[in-house]
Amino acid sequence: MDSGGSTDMTLAFELEALKALADPNAVFNNARQWTEYVGVVSEKPTYVVTNFTRKHRVRQDFFSGPRGVEESLENIGGQFDTDRHVFVGVDDEDEAVAEATGWEFLQVEDAAEAAGWTLATGEPDDDAPEERARDDWP
């Protein structure tokens, strides 16, 4: 992905966008070559994000925790002072949140094409066993 020669960027993936990629760990490792910070934001409970990132060995610089995506992007934008803040998402709602928080928005398919990342085949596994089994956990 062309970052204009600068690595002064914070890159945030919506969890569903990360699930749409064939190898999230490889994506994060690649992104670290041209970004300063990279992480995951989601409306899902923290344990869902944590389970996914552990399963795929994704080392993130930040995550949304118990906050929603909009509040997370606002906090991350203030905490990580880089020239660019880019949010990779999957739909119009993600784009609206990016716009509301002053982040640049990229559809996951466009980001994947620009960066040479491989998209996953089939639908993301929203009902992974570890997520189903702990639905009642805070």
Side-chain angles (χ1 to χ4, degrees):
M1 182 171 200
D2 181 15
S3 62
S6 171
T7 60
D8 197 22
M9 180 193 313
T10 300
L11 184 65
F13 286 88
E14 207 292 326
L15 180 61
E16 295 307 312
L18 199 55
K19 288 180 175 182
L21 296 163
D23 188 349
N25 181 38
V27 167
F28 266 57
N29 288 338
N30 173 261
R32 287 188 188 289
Q33 296 174 34
W34 43 265
T35 62
E36 195 68 33
Y37 307 103
V38 60
V40 182
V41 295
S42 178
E43 296 287 341
K44 302 260 187 194
T46 302
Y47 76 89
V48 174
V49 176
T50 302
N51 284 346
F52 182 84
T53 56
R54 280 185 187 153
K55 178 179 174 183
H56 294 280
R57 293 181 167 78
V58 170
R59 185 178 56 85
Q60 53 191 338
D61 296 317
F62 58 83
F63 65 97
S64 53
R67 301 179 193 93
V69 172
E70 186 167 348
E71 185 181 351
S72 294
L73 291 178
E74 288 171 351
N75 288 339
I76 293 162
Q79 188 176 8
F80 296 97
D81 185 26
T82 54
D83 290 342
R84 294 176 66 197
H85 293 88
V86 179
F87 179 47
V88 179
V90 296
D91 56 25
D92 292 341
E93 186 178 318
D94 290 343
E95 186 170 9
V97 169
E99 188 174 306
T101 56
W103 284 61
E104 296 174 44
F105 177 76
L106 272 176
Q107 285 281 350
V108 65
E109 294 86 359
D110 296 337
E113 183 177 335
W117 301 329
T118 304
L119 293 169
T121 55
E123 289 297 309
D125 184 11
D126 286 332
D127 291 323
E130 66 270 18
E131 293 173 16
R132 256 197 331 269
R134 298 180 70 177
D135 243 358
D136 62 335
W137 194 61

